[in-house]
Amino acid sequence: MPTLILVRHGRSTANTAGVLAGRTPGVSLDERGAEQAAALPARLSALSPVLAVSSPLERCRQTLQPLLDARPGLPLHIEERISECDYGHWSGRKLAELADEPLMSVVQQHPSAAAFPGGESMRAMQARAVDAVRDWNARVETEHGEDAAYVMCSHGDIIKSLVADALGMHLDLFQRLHADPCSVTAIRYTRLRPFLLRLGDTGDLAALAPSGNPVGADAAASPSGDGTAAATVGGGAGAP
């Protein structure tokens, strides 16, 4: 089955403001995020994606635009099921403020039991995203063959949940994963199992070409105030 090239959107104005954007309208790429998006075509130059799929949110569409400009024939499809988690009443609030909410410890340590007030559960978020990828895998294979690759631009928690599914990890472990803004995570699906080729990669991607030698990438969580490692809900802002 196809190779999925997952791209987290570039750094956004909400990332730098320390705000949990969720589906709040009007959140766009900041200057650094625009630079990251502009570099994406060169990073993917060794690959030949057959189509692109995007979350409907502005920051994802902005991230893919330079790639679409560089490849005028690349079709773009909007997929609601890979939109950001619906954080409900948490959307638009400061992450520092949310750290004191009792639910945050559940989100960090037992996310399969976490449901955001006025929003959705993390289990529902993962289920819809996995269903979307399975459907796009089948479509891409039918239309372009099993060796095809396609690009999907989405959000930090969505990407982490897809990686957890590919690795056979329980959702309760997905906070151990991390994907920086405009990082690339690559999963090659086969009949028997998926293979994680890259995780949160922000560098050169030439080795993902069919003749290359895929390698992985380590990811580190941001330290919390008490000396432990806490995952940033929504994904974080990445390097300066």
Side-chain angles (χ1 to χ4, degrees):
M1 296 183 72
T3 298
L4 171 61
I5 308 298
L6 279 165
V7 179
R8 186 184 166 202
H9 63 79
R11 196 174 74 176
S12 73
T13 52
N15 293 146
T16 47
V19 169
L20 185 62
R23 300 179 180 180
T24 306
V27 176
S28 60
L29 299 184
D30 68 4
E31 184 177 351
R32 173 61 178 152
E35 293 173 353
Q36 292 169 332
L40 190 60
R43 294 176 62 209
L44 296 177
S45 61
L47 308 179
S48 300
V50 296
L51 56 83
V53 183
S54 178
S55 158
L57 296 181
E58 181 180 2
R59 53 195 183 272
C60 286
R61 291 185 283 108
Q62 288 178 328
T63 299
L64 285 182
Q65 192 57 55
L67 180 65
L68 298 174
D69 292 342
R71 302 186 183 211
L74 187 66
L76 174 66
H77 304 271
I78 302 300
E79 173 58 76
E80 295 283 345
R81 292 175 294 176
I82 62 166
S83 187
E84 179 65 284
C85 183
D86 184 355
Y87 297 116
H89 301 323
W90 278 27
S91 300
R93 294 178 62 187
K94 289 278 190 179
L95 287 164
E97 172 189 319
L98 291 170
D100 295 328
E101 293 280 353
L103 178 60
M104 183 59 85
S105 62
V106 181
V107 171
Q108 291 290 329
Q109 300 180 45
H110 190 21
S112 65
F116 296 98
E120 69 179 332
S121 69
M122 301 199 90
R123 286 182 296 108
M125 173 199 73
Q126 182 186 44
R128 62 174 166 83
V130 169
D131 283 349
V133 165
R134 295 286 189 264
D135 289 347
W136 279 104
N137 282 348
R139 176 172 175 176
V140 168
E141 182 177 14
T142 297
E143 297 179 0
H144 302 280
E146 63 181 14
D147 293 328
Y150 69 106
V151 175
M152 178 177 282
C153 188
S154 188
H155 308 269
D157 281 349
I158 296 289
I159 292 170
K160 288 161 56 179
S161 72
L162 290 170
V163 171
D165 172 75
L167 293 177
M169 289 173 56
H170 197 283
L171 185 61
D172 284 345
L173 302 179
F174 101 129
Q175 298 290 28
R176 301 182 182 193
L177 305 170
H178 185 73
D180 275 334
C182 222
S183 64
V184 169
T185 295
I187 305 170
R188 181 165 294 144
Y189 289 86
T190 74
R191 296 296 178 190
L192 298 181
R193 64 182 64 86
F195 291 89
L196 180 63
L197 306 181
R198 293 288 178 92
L199 174 61
D201 196 307
T202 56
D204 179 75
L205 299 167
L208 285 176
S211 61
N213 179 29
V215 296
D218 294 330
S222 301
S224 64
D226 61 1
T228 61
T232 303
V233 181

